[in-house]
Amino acid sequence: MPDAKDDPVAIHPDLAEVLFTEAQLQTRVKSLAAEIKSVYGKDEFTIVSLINGAVMFTADLMREIDNPVRLDCIRVTSYGVHTKSIGTPQIIHSLTLDIMKRDVLLIDDILDTGKTLKLVSDLIRKLSPSSLRTCVLLDKKARREVPLEADFVGFEIPDKFVVGYGLDFAERYRNLPCIGVLKPERQKAPVWASG
Ligand code: IMP
Ligand code: MG
């Protein structure tokens, strides 16, 4: 009998499929933290997290890293009620910390067309950090428009619109403990998004 924890509908009726369970996410976050630590050694670095999407991932990843770290966040425009990138992303809220001559680790939930990570990487580079590395939980390689790869990648995924563990559709589903694919009929502008 399938485990109820792996049953998409048992987790949320709008999910067609679970790509990664809560346990799989936790295991990968731990091994990713080990990869990151092996690169930074014991040095301090500054985490720049792209909110809202990367909140869960950043919170879990940070707690697996015992280096001295600083945290700052950047907010970029979201997809709104769309499931595909429309136009050019814009920075809505930028850095508060000074990152000049600091080692920076930029974290996002998902690397899709690459436009967001490119925009933010360019902004950070202009502020003269000692180094800049990028880390994403998910990588949709098939959809890349900007030639850019992340230094640390949790999982490569197919070209499907996913939600949960911080990722949203029209700001919903971020609180799901797993990452799943939304049912096609749920990937349309919902009635509750009109207000
Ligand atoms: P990019 O600029 O096209 O690389 O898109 C990156 C941003 O789009 C991410 O920070 C996410 O917020 C959002 N995004 C891309 N794919 C998905 C998805 O499948 N589900 C939810 N958000 C996504
Ligand atoms: Mg995002």
Side-chain angles (χ1 to χ4, degrees), residues 157-169:
I157 63 162
D159 181 10
K160 292 180 176 179
F161 191 78
V162 292
V163 293
Y165 196 64
L167 291 116
D168 74 307
F169 171 61

Side-chain angles (χ1 to χ4, degrees), residues 36 40 43-49 58 62 65 67-74 95-107 124 129-135:
I36 292 169
Y40 286 100
D43 294 346
E44 179 179 288
F45 55 95
T46 300
I47 291 172
V48 174
S49 176
T58 304
M62 279 183 79
I65 291 171
N67 296 47
V69 291
R70 304 190 308 159
L71 172 68
D72 206 349
C73 296
I74 292 181
L95 290 171
T96 305
L97 296 180
D98 185 3
I99 55 159
M100 192 174 167
K101 295 191 183 151
R102 302 286 189 155
D103 292 309
V104 174
L105 179 65
L106 174 59
I107 300 183
I124 291 176
S130 297
S131 66
L132 172 61
R133 293 185 179 90
T134 51
C135 173

Side-chain angles (χ1 to χ4, degrees), residues 17-138:
E17 185 188 342
V18 170
L19 283 190
F20 305 109
T21 62
E22 187 174 4
Q24 286 169 328
L25 290 171
Q26 275 163 15
T27 304
R28 184 64 185 120
V29 166
K30 280 193 170 72
S31 61
L32 208 47
E35 285 175 37
I36 292 169
K37 279 167 58 168
S38 74
V39 170
Y40 286 100
K42 292 189 179 340
D43 294 346
E44 179 179 288
F45 55 95
T46 300
I47 291 172
V48 174
S49 176
L50 297 189
I51 55 174
N52 292 329
V55 278
M56 311 275 178
F57 177 43
T58 304
D60 286 347
L61 189 69
M62 279 183 79
R63 284 179 289 182
E64 297 297 330
I65 291 171
D66 55 9
N67 296 47
V69 291
R70 304 190 308 159
L71 172 68
D72 206 349
C73 296
I74 292 181
R75 184 184 291 275
V76 178
T77 43
S78 79
Y79 283 10
V81 295
H82 302 273
T83 57
K84 296 265 163 19
S85 160
I86 37 155
T88 316
Q90 315 266 330
I91 291 168
I92 299 178
H93 192 281
S94 192
L95 290 171
T96 305
L97 296 180
D98 185 3
I99 55 159
M100 192 174 167
K101 295 191 183 151
R102 302 286 189 155
D103 292 309
V104 174
L105 179 65
L106 174 59
I107 300 183
D108 202 6
D109 51 2
I110 183 164
L111 180 52
D112 187 21
T113 63
K115 290 182 202 167
T116 304
L117 218 56
K118 169 88 170 73
L119 173 82
V120 180
S121 304
D122 287 351
L123 168 102
I124 291 176
R125 274 197 206 92
K126 281 189 196 137
L127 299 170
S128 310
S130 297
S131 66
L132 172 61
R133 293 185 179 90
T134 51
C135 173
V136 294
L137 177 65
L138 306 174

